[in-house]
Amino acid sequence: MSDLRAIRTVSIAVARSARLAMLGPEGPGVRELWYVLHGYGQLAAPFLGDFRAIDDGSRLIVAPEALSRFYEGDAQTRLHRDAKVGASWMTREDRESEIADYIAYLDTVHQLILTRLGGANHAPEVTVLGFSQGAATAARWVASGRVNAARLVVWGSQLPPELDLADPGAPLRRAETVLVMGTTDVFATPKLVEKETARLRAANYPFRFVSFNGGHRMDDDTLRALAGMSTDYDATGAV
């Protein structure tokens, strides 16, 4: 018999509002659809501003905002009326539920966008790009969600450790995977990059590696290259 005096936790499903930022045209004529997932502490609209370099009228770029917002800074800074607000995709607390929730959220976003573009029969090629914390979110969505992505771009981060990269039938393998790292990224350090690329090669996981001169940030020239607007980057990789 359970102790009714013990503290118990239960999970319930709730409806809530989510925010999307969008850049580019809508309608059946859209050639490409990009989903771009921001990093920890960022918001969708400012993050989307980093993608103006590829806003050429041929692609719709959609930035879903993570569902958990917070005030940034130390205790005193957070109390200020102008305290900066950021968002996070998840924490380690109730981890599995957080992951399931954001995959379901992103699936809902994708269905909404397809409807706005004229339905599944008019679906353009999809790129899913995740930056920093958003990279793990992007990879999990491509691996377990209902988005049929042609390409997964992991920028300034690595693929989640729990994903089975060696399974030749894994849904994640249906998308081309591109790792993008800045040469002076303080988070995606050379040691981390070497470890991650070795892990992918050991799993015989196909990917491309792209580097640019810079830190933990987006880069206009690299984005243009990924969008097929130029070829000005240093790319190496594994088959």
Side-chain angles (χ1 to χ4, degrees):
M1 183 175 178
S2 62
D3 183 358
L4 297 181
R5 296 172 299 173
I7 295 174
R8 302 176 302 282
T9 61
V10 297
S11 294
I12 63 171
V14 299
R16 60 156 301 166
S17 298
R19 186 161 63 178
L20 310 178
M22 300 171 64
L23 179 64
E26 295 185 53
V30 172
R31 181 171 58 86
E32 292 183 10
L33 171 59
W34 285 45
Y35 292 106
V36 297
L37 309 185
H38 63 77
Y40 178 81
Q42 297 181 304
L43 296 177
F47 179 65
L48 188 57
D50 289 336
F51 292 82
R52 291 192 181 279
I54 60 171
D55 177 27
D56 64 354
S58 70
R59 61 185 58 83
L60 173 62
I61 311 168
V62 180
E65 190 165 280
L67 297 175
S68 298
R69 298 190 193 101
F70 57 91
Y71 291 112
E72 294 195 65
D74 57 27
Q76 185 173 358
T77 302
R78 292 196 302 269
L79 292 175
H80 195 278
R81 66 179 181 180
D82 296 323
K84 183 181 177 183
V85 176
S88 172
W89 290 101
M90 62 175 291
T91 66
R92 66 176 180 272
E93 188 73 16
D94 201 13
R95 178 178 182 275
E96 298 304 320
S97 293
E98 293 266 36
I99 292 172
D101 284 347
Y102 70 55
I103 289 175
Y105 160 44
L106 293 171
D107 280 344
T108 300
V109 170
H110 184 46
Q111 187 56 54
L112 169 68
I113 296 300
L114 289 183
T115 300
R116 292 171 71 110
L117 294 180
N121 291 334
H122 300 280
E125 183 176 271
V126 176
T127 290
V128 177
L129 181 152
F131 171 69
S132 196
Q133 188 197 42
T137 303
R140 291 185 179 114
W141 184 34
V142 172
S144 303
R146 296 199 299 270
V147 62
N148 183 20
R151 181 169 55 174
L152 167 66
V153 181
V154 176
W155 193 303
S157 189
Q158 60 197 87
L159 291 165
E162 79 276 4
L163 295 183
D164 184 0
L165 303 179
D167 180 3
L172 195 63
R173 284 178 174 258
R174 293 200 294 262
E176 176 195 14
T177 296
V178 184
L179 299 184
V180 180
M181 306 290 183
T183 55
T184 58
D185 193 322
V186 296
F187 297 106
T189 61
K191 183 177 180 180
L192 182 145
V193 173
E194 181 180 0
K195 182 178 179 181
E196 179 67 358
T197 54
R199 177 171 78 110
L200 299 184
R201 292 188 179 106
N204 197 30
Y205 184 86
F207 71 99
R208 265 197 308 140
F209 180 76
V210 174
S211 65
F212 66 92
N213 292 323
H216 196 64
R217 60 170 176 80
M218 305 306 298
D219 178 75
D220 285 356
D221 289 339
T222 305
L223 279 173
R224 291 189 190 101
L226 291 173
M229 298 167 65
S230 75
T231 57
D232 185 22
Y233 60 76
D234 172 26
T236 59
V239 295

